[in-house]
Amino acid sequence: MPYKTIIGLEIHSELLTDSKIFCDCSTEFGGDVNTHTCPVCLGLPGALPVLNKKVVEYGIKAGLAFNCEISERTKMDRKNYFYPDLVKGYQISQYDMPLCQNGYVEIETEDGVKKIRLRRIHIEEDTGKSIHSEDGGSLLDYNRSGVPLIEIVTEPDMNSPEEAKLFLEKLKSILQYIEVSDCKMEEGSLRCDVNINIVDEETGKRSTITELKNLNSFKAAVKAMEYEEERHKKLLEEGKDTRRETRRWDELKNETIVMRVKEEVSDYRYFPEPDIVEMEIDREWVEEIRKELPELPHVKKERFIEQYDLPEYDAEVLTSSKALADFFEETIRYFDDSKQVSNWIMGDISRRLNMENIGIEDVSFTAKDLADLLKLIDEGKISNKIGKKVLRAMFEEGKDPNTIVKEKGLIQISDEGELKKIVDKVLSENQQSVEDYKNGKDRALGFLVGQVMKATRGKANPQLANKLIRESIQ
């Protein structure tokens, strides 16, 4: 039976302001519990919020980057609900007059470019954080209370977990490019909620929407969506339906688990925040922010293809992260073989980054160090194989490549007289391979070059070794 999956997302992204949305407490991650708090973010009686203008600016910046209409008038509202980490008993958010509306993000699917519509982007305050102890008790840290957020709400335009993943990756990349959020999911600065259901395309019957919360990685989000797709199908085929509820992903059980029955909008009893006046957004200010927008990923990708003559795939990978794109361009300043630089970044460097689950901004060597390494290879001072060994040392020791090559004695043997002695020894010890090559078995030549490389611990100039072997046999 043909089913269509329907997915909408709500993404919360913490903004990179120095202070909170309604007070001057620090937004720094990792402080001692309850040290970044004051009467305002603790919601003590008599404390009055003052809106941080930078939060509005960053919200507008995100709206412009995501092709939104920026509202001329907007206001803050109280969203009322009880939860221990919400110290005031209400959250100051936006309800019917969000800062930004009607945007979109384009993703590239197997069927071509697909536009994912954004219903709205609004600004709000984050809640505190519950810390659950092993003995069943709970403690509360309010350092996060009042940290500014934007909530990005999509239309239900995604039809598979893969499309949702592509959207999330694109959205994260743009937020990092415009530098309004660091999007560190492991620190909670980017969080994703999923609304998912399916429709039977023959009968038109739809399952009831399920909300998935507390998804702390794109991988977890995809697995949770895949699980829910199958759960919804199974229930429909049994003549049953899902319930309107909120579920969470359990990594250990590999399944979603019910958290609570989902609230209706009316349950939140929204009303205008009485302590903050309505805002009129100056059009000139919006245009000033628009002019300050940096080059966005899709524009940079096209420039990389044209300026550096890179294949589309290379340009896509390199511009997927601002830090990676900046590292590539910085390396090119010192070593202008763009394809060679691209191959090393996309190959050995990206493999190591993925293995250690870190970004290029976390490595201990610079773009100039990578350029110096590629120069050593290009000038024939070290082989490509030794270059990979040096790169490993750069990751582990943080030293520049010239120092590593010098300390470890890795300079390539390019002295013809010195290498000829080693080639002669290898040929005398491998007469069968010599005969095989003479009898037309070209693979034997590769074996002999390999033996020379082995004898020199990878330091022989492979082109010179190849030439000397051919000359000696002929």
Side-chain angles (χ1 to χ4, degrees):
M1 198 174 290
Y3 292 105
K4 183 178 179 181
T5 302
I6 302 169
I7 297 171
L9 300 175
E10 296 173 10
I11 300 101
H12 290 87
S13 180
E14 286 185 355
L15 299 177
L16 276 174
T17 56
D18 293 332
S19 56
K20 294 184 178 180
I21 185 170
F22 300 123
C23 62
D24 60 3
C25 288
S26 171
T27 57
E28 185 180 1
F29 178 81
D32 285 344
V33 293
N34 294 317
T35 54
H36 299 166
T37 57
C38 71
V40 174
C41 55
L42 288 175
L44 299 185
L48 292 174
V50 177
L51 181 60
N52 183 341
K53 186 178 178 182
K54 202 73 177 175
V55 173
V56 183
E57 178 187 326
Y58 279 8
I60 293 172
K61 201 171 183 181
L64 293 172
F66 292 126
N67 309 294
C68 289
E69 300 163 6
I70 309 302
S71 300
E72 294 190 2
R73 292 190 70 82
T74 187
K75 66 179 175 65
M76 306 302 297
D77 300 280
R78 285 191 183 182
K79 180 181 180 181
N80 297 277
Y81 65 96
F82 176 76
Y83 208 72
D85 62 15
L86 185 63
V87 69
K88 299 191 292 282
Y90 62 86
Q91 178 189 30
I92 302 180
S93 179
Q94 293 192 289
Y95 177 48
D96 55 344
M97 293 171 63
L99 183 60
C100 316
Q101 299 182 77
N102 304 323
Y104 66 87
V105 172
E106 289 183 337
I107 60 172
E108 294 181 16
T109 71
E110 290 181 352
D111 299 324
V113 175
K114 181 171 182 178
K115 186 178 284 188
I116 308 298
R117 294 169 297 158
L118 302 186
R119 185 178 301 168
R120 59 188 281 159
I121 299 176
H122 65 256
I123 54 176
E124 62 184 20
E125 62 179 335
D126 209 344
T127 63
K129 189 175 180 182
S130 299
I131 303 168
H132 305 293
S133 61
E134 292 181 358
D135 62 6
S138 292
L139 300 170
L140 291 159
D141 178 9
Y142 291 109
N143 280 352
R144 201 177 68 178
S145 177
V147 168
L149 294 173
I150 49 173
E151 180 173 342
I152 303 167
V153 183
T154 78
E155 297 290 350
D157 288 344
M158 288 151 277
N159 299 118
S160 70
E162 180 59 25
E163 283 188 5
K165 179 170 174 278
L166 289 172
F167 170 81
L168 286 168
E169 288 173 343
K170 187 75 174 282
L171 179 128
K172 178 183 175 184
S173 170
I174 292 174
L175 287 173
Q176 289 177 326
Y177 264 78
I178 62 176
E179 297 180 337
V180 299
S181 175
D182 59 19
C183 297
K184 292 181 178 176
M185 294 190 83
E186 68 278 12
E187 293 181 4
S189 61
L190 185 72
R191 309 193 289 273
C192 167
D193 299 341
V194 177
N195 291 303
I196 183 170
N197 68 328
I198 62 167
V199 57
D200 182 332
E201 291 192 290
E202 287 184 354
T203 65
K205 183 171 176 54
R206 292 169 179 258
S207 60
T208 299
I209 296 172
T210 299
E211 181 185 46
L212 302 172
K213 287 185 88 74
N214 295 348
L215 303 167
N216 59 7
S217 70
F218 291 169
K219 185 179 175 184
V222 169
K223 287 168 78 173
M225 285 184 269
E226 289 173 344
Y227 180 86
E228 279 299 296
E229 267 186 317
E230 293 306 312
R231 191 177 72 85
H232 283 232
K233 285 177 190 173
K234 186 179 176 189
L235 287 169
L236 279 193
E237 285 168 358
E238 292 173 351
K240 302 175 183 174
D241 192 7
T242 46
R243 293 193 305 166
R244 185 177 173 81
E245 60 191 9
T246 300
R247 302 173 73 90
R248 68 175 176 84
W249 176 246
D250 189 314
E251 284 282 356
L252 296 177
K253 294 180 178 176
N254 246 356
E255 64 183 30
T256 62
I257 292 173
V258 176
M259 291 174 68
R260 59 179 180 265
V261 175
K262 185 164 173 54
E263 300 89 346
E264 301 287 342
V265 171
S266 58
D267 293 332
Y268 291 124
R269 294 170 291 117
Y270 279 100
F271 63 85
E273 167 57 50
D275 292 330
I276 300 176
V277 297
E278 279 192 16
M279 291 168 274
E280 186 172 333
I281 307 296
D282 188 301
R283 295 296 95 181
E284 288 185 10
W285 187 38
V286 173
E287 290 311 309
E288 285 173 13
I289 296 171
R290 190 192 302 277
K291 287 176 188 170
E292 291 172 1
L293 280 178
E295 185 181 40
L296 295 178
H298 63 284
V299 179
K300 194 182 284 286
K301 175 188 163 186
E302 293 305 317
R303 180 170 67 77
F304 274 26
I305 292 172
E306 186 175 338
Q307 183 175 344
Y308 300 117
D309 196 25
L310 290 175
E312 183 174 354
Y313 178 76
D314 290 35
E316 176 76 31
V317 172
L318 292 171
T319 58
S320 62
S321 146
K322 183 176 184 297
L324 203 61
D326 289 347
F327 191 87
F328 169 80
E329 291 210 279
E330 182 68 7
T331 308
I332 290 292
R333 284 183 57 205
Y334 302 102
F335 183 76
D336 64 0
D337 185 338
S338 55
K339 185 56 183 156
Q340 183 81 331
V341 174
S342 169
N343 288 344
W344 275 79
I345 291 178
M346 292 171 53
D348 291 79
I349 291 178
S350 289
R351 232 182 338 268
R352 184 68 180 249
L353 296 179
N354 292 334
M355 190 173 75
E356 296 187 13
N357 196 26
I358 58 175
I360 193 71
E361 64 275 21
D362 300 316
V363 300
S364 53
F365 59 88
T366 66
K368 184 176 182 305
D369 290 337
L370 176 61
D372 287 345
L373 172 63
L374 299 182
K375 280 181 191 172
L376 287 170
I377 297 170
D378 192 56
E379 292 166 358
K381 292 180 179 174
I382 61 172
S383 65
N384 203 60
K385 185 177 179 182
I386 291 292
K388 292 174 186 289
K389 189 174 178 180
V390 174
L391 180 66
R392 283 197 295 277
M394 288 163 64
F395 266 102
E396 290 156 13
E397 301 171 17
K399 294 177 181 174
D400 68 83
N402 285 298
T403 301
I404 293 168
V405 166
K406 188 177 177 183
E407 286 181 352
K408 297 182 185 294
L410 298 174
I411 287 290
Q412 187 164 262
I413 302 173
S414 296
D415 182 282
E416 193 164 327
E418 184 182 352
L419 196 55
K420 181 71 168 59
K421 292 176 188 173
I422 299 168
V423 166
D424 289 343
K425 185 170 185 296
V426 166
L427 295 182
S428 68
E429 292 172 351
N430 294 277
Q431 281 301 308
Q432 184 58 51
S433 296
V434 173
E435 289 304 316
D436 288 345
Y437 181 64
K438 285 180 177 175
N439 291 326
K441 293 183 179 178
D442 292 341
R443 291 178 62 186
L445 178 63
F447 172 78
L448 292 168
V449 172
Q451 291 305 301
V452 173
M453 299 304 292
K454 184 180 178 184
T456 59
R457 301 174 67 185
K459 293 194 288 182
N461 180 323
Q463 288 77 27
L464 182 58
N466 190 304
K467 171 179 167 285
L468 293 174
I469 291 170
R470 285 175 186 272
E471 289 175 355
S472 296
I473 293 177
Q474 290 165 0

